[in-house]
Amino acid sequence: LGVRSQIKLNVPEDPFIVYRTKLVLRHNPATALSQEAKFGPVVRQSDGRRFESKFWYDQHTLDLAIHGRGAYLPADSEPSNETVSNDMWDGLYVDVWADSGYYAGLELTLCINWYSSLNRMVKRYDMALLAMSFVWASLVLLHQLRVWNSDGKFPGPLQAIERLVRNGTLAGLVVAAGATPLVQGLVAHVMHDTWSTTTLVWWNNLFLGVRGGSIATVAVPALLVVIALGFVLCQAIVLTAVCALASWIGSHITTVHVKTASVPGRALAATIAFVVFVSTFVPYQFAFLVIYLAQLITVVRTQILSPGSPNLAHYQLGLLLFWTSSLPYCAPELLVWVRNLSVLWFDDAPADHNLVSMVGYFALRMLASYNIVPRLRGSGVCARRLRIVTYVCFACAVVCAWVVCMRRPYVLYSVNNAVSAWLALVQFADVPLRLVQSADSTRSADVALQPIRSAGCLLAESAATSPELGRNANSDEAISRKQR
């Protein structure tokens, strides 16, 4: 054993695997009893590319792991544009500095730390899982709106999820998730000589990020689609069970009275309070949490008041599931804000008082408390245009979450807010839309009655020009009245 000893570990370049390593230093029998070590052992982890290094001092149990060249997918033999060195991977190097006079040898025992490896995998894909869950939540709400527009029945979230699995949406998303990295790699290979390095890096960082042609490039996104569906299904089951249990308890304990005359007054007071507090004191994350809890209470109240007509309750529950994907982005900010308040820290970490960040949620929650979204049916121009724009908004939200928000998940909160604002606008335009539809119906009735009116006018003119025909018509009419 010298002062520095280097050991090479032939392990794959996988950022998900954590190796539990035990270092045993053997003492020199001649000097172990007469003197002590001049310094504790120093261990360094590195690789041939000089990509990253870790150090431990005077520790005998080590966790060896790498971060890899990609943020989400493990790297392979192909170098990345973001890599510090373009050398090939040749394993891990463990350097040990120890007192050669006190120690005579060393022993390394290597095994996989399964718990830490699973933890790294979860932490690697937690934000991507939230983005994929937003995709499923958007598709669920979109399917509910489509059924409502066509059949007049608003299905529940669980029914919508079952229908999406049966109609091939799950299979389509799995295929799309596996094909997207392949398309990215193909386009990057074709445009390698045309695009600049910055453009290639930007292109490779879309979706989950492309780091070569490993099987994980295709398998991991496809697996995330299935896991995200199960995650959204668990959310829907929990929300449905909580609302059903709360409504059952509420219906057996108290009697709910609704004063419809005070609803506009309460809405105005709540709007003023939210604007004042969010713009001056509380962050918009706190306002979103209050809106979410208020929506949960609204679903319970609707189920108590209208047990026989579940359309409104299903619509409110669908919105609640749609907003659940924004909770993970607001809860950490809210906890930091509460922590700052507890230590009287105000100046260095001010709260975000952006009213635009919560206006969509707030407006839709106020409008959906007592009214369901209008049915955009029929061949009218306004209804058809609103229906098309609504479907396009959901499609754009899904594409944005699919392409961009896997790597930048904080954008999903704004996307969710924008879609909620559009639905609130559709609900706000319900009264003008009904007026336009009634006017269209009146014009259609006028067009249908025009031939009858024309025939009546011709008959009157004929009676006026021919008195005999008029008398015969009058006599026929009198005979028919007498018979009746």
Side-chain angles (χ1 to χ4, degrees):
L1 177 66
V3 177
R4 176 187 177 185
S5 302
Q6 187 178 74
I7 302 174
K8 179 182 177 181
L9 303 177
N10 293 320
V11 295
E13 185 187 7
D14 197 331
F16 300 141
I17 300 178
V18 178
Y19 300 97
R20 175 61 57 88
T21 305
K22 292 184 178 181
L23 174 64
V24 178
L25 295 173
R26 298 175 180 175
H27 298 279
N28 189 350
T31 59
L33 299 177
S34 60
Q35 64 182 9
E36 296 182 354
K38 297 179 181 179
F39 59 91
V42 178
V43 181
R44 175 198 177 197
Q45 169 202 318
S46 62
D47 55 66
R49 305 166 305 163
R50 301 184 182 91
F51 186 69
E52 60 177 316
S53 297
K54 295 180 182 179
F55 291 88
W56 293 268
Y57 175 73
D58 199 14
Q59 295 185 19
H60 300 278
T61 302
L62 318 173
D63 285 332
L64 304 180
I66 62 173
H67 287 91
R69 289 176 278 187
Y72 291 90
L73 293 179
D76 60 357
S77 59
E78 296 185 13
S80 171
N81 290 325
E82 297 176 330
T83 306
V84 177
S85 176
N86 289 332
D87 295 335
M88 304 295 289
W89 170 262
D90 58 349
L92 281 176
Y93 291 91
V94 178
D95 296 290
V96 181
W97 287 268
D99 186 359
S100 59
Y102 186 77
Y103 298 105
L106 61 89
E107 179 182 351
L108 284 179
T109 304
L110 194 69
C111 63
I112 297 179
N113 189 343
W114 295 105
Y115 178 78
S116 299
S117 301
L118 181 61
N119 183 41
R120 286 173 68 89
M121 184 175 295
V122 172
K123 295 302 294 182
R124 289 280 179 135
Y125 289 106
D126 53 358
M127 293 294 103
L129 179 61
L130 293 177
M132 197 69 75
S133 300
F134 175 80
V135 171
W136 277 113
S138 302
L139 294 177
V140 168
L141 185 57
L142 177 60
H143 178 76
Q144 290 176 295
L145 293 175
R146 290 182 59 187
V147 175
W148 168 246
N149 291 332
S150 60
D151 300 338
K153 295 181 180 180
F154 209 97
L158 295 177
Q159 299 173 353
I161 293 175
E162 180 184 2
R163 184 58 182 172
L164 289 176
V165 174
R166 290 179 177 273
N167 63 9
T169 303
L170 174 60
L173 284 182
V174 170
V175 173
T180 302
L182 299 180
V183 173
Q184 283 183 267
L186 179 61
V187 173
H189 179 73
V190 173
M191 304 300 294
H192 186 272
D193 297 331
T194 304
W195 287 351
S196 63
T197 303
T198 304
T199 306
L200 286 174
V201 171
W202 172 83
W203 176 259
N204 287 333
N205 283 336
L206 295 178
F207 193 52
L208 286 177
V210 176
R211 299 295 183 271
S214 172
I215 187 62
T217 305
V218 178
V220 171
L223 185 61
L224 273 178
V225 171
V226 180
I227 296 176
L229 176 61
F231 188 55
V232 173
L233 179 61
C234 292
Q235 294 177 13
I237 292 174
V238 170
L239 291 176
T240 304
V242 169
C243 294
L245 179 61
S247 62
W248 181 82
I249 295 175
S251 61
H252 285 77
I253 293 179
T254 59
T255 303
V256 181
H257 299 281
V258 180
K259 299 179 180 179
T260 56
S262 62
V263 170
R266 290 201 306 267
L268 180 60
T271 303
I272 295 175
F274 263 78
V275 170
V276 171
F277 279 103
V278 174
S279 60
T280 57
F281 180 66
V282 301
Y284 71 86
Q285 291 89 353
F286 179 79
F288 172 78
L289 183 61
V290 174
I291 292 171
Y292 186 86
L293 295 178
Q295 181 69 11
L296 180 63
I297 297 173
T298 301
V299 176
V300 175
R301 184 199 61 197
T302 304
Q303 290 181 352
I304 296 175
L305 295 178
S306 304
S309 55
N311 286 336
L312 180 58
H314 286 169
Y315 171 58
Q316 295 170 348
L317 189 59
L319 292 179
L320 194 65
L321 179 64
F322 183 60
W323 291 346
T324 304
S325 58
S326 297
L327 278 179
Y329 310 116
C330 295
E333 296 284 345
L334 184 59
L335 292 177
V336 171
W337 177 70
V338 173
R339 175 61 180 170
N340 293 340
L341 290 182
S342 64
V343 297
L344 303 179
W345 192 4
F346 302 103
D347 296 333
D348 295 358
D352 193 350
H353 303 292
N354 189 1
L355 290 174
V356 181
S357 299
M358 47 78 64
V359 65
Y361 300 105
F362 180 76
L364 184 57
R365 183 257 175 272
M366 297 300 295
L367 293 173
S369 297
Y370 298 96
N371 299 307
I372 195 172
V373 65
R375 291 182 62 191
L376 303 177
R377 64 189 188 281
S379 58
V381 178
C382 294
R384 185 172 64 252
R385 290 179 178 177
L386 285 177
R387 184 171 62 250
I388 293 175
V389 174
T390 301
Y391 295 163
V392 169
C393 285
F394 277 93
C396 292
V398 170
V399 172
C400 180
W402 188 269
V403 176
V404 179
C405 297
M406 298 291 177
R407 300 291 302 274
R408 299 166 181 84
Y410 52 85
V411 182
L412 287 179
Y413 180 88
S414 301
V415 175
N416 202 332
N417 185 36
V419 176
S420 301
W422 172 253
L423 290 178
L425 183 62
V426 171
Q427 283 205 235
F428 186 77
D430 185 18
V431 176
L433 182 63
R434 289 181 180 179
L435 294 177
V436 172
Q437 289 179 349
S438 62
D440 293 339
S441 300
T442 304
R443 284 195 294 268
S444 300
D446 292 339
V447 172
L449 291 176
Q450 188 65 32
I452 300 176
R453 293 175 180 174
S454 301
C457 293
L458 292 176
L459 183 60
E461 292 178 358
S462 300
T465 54
S466 177
E468 185 66 24
L469 181 60
R471 285 193 298 270
N472 293 335
N474 292 332
S475 62
D476 293 339
E477 182 179 359
I479 293 172
S480 62
R481 288 180 181 177
K482 185 176 182 181
Q483 290 177 353
R484 289 197 297 269

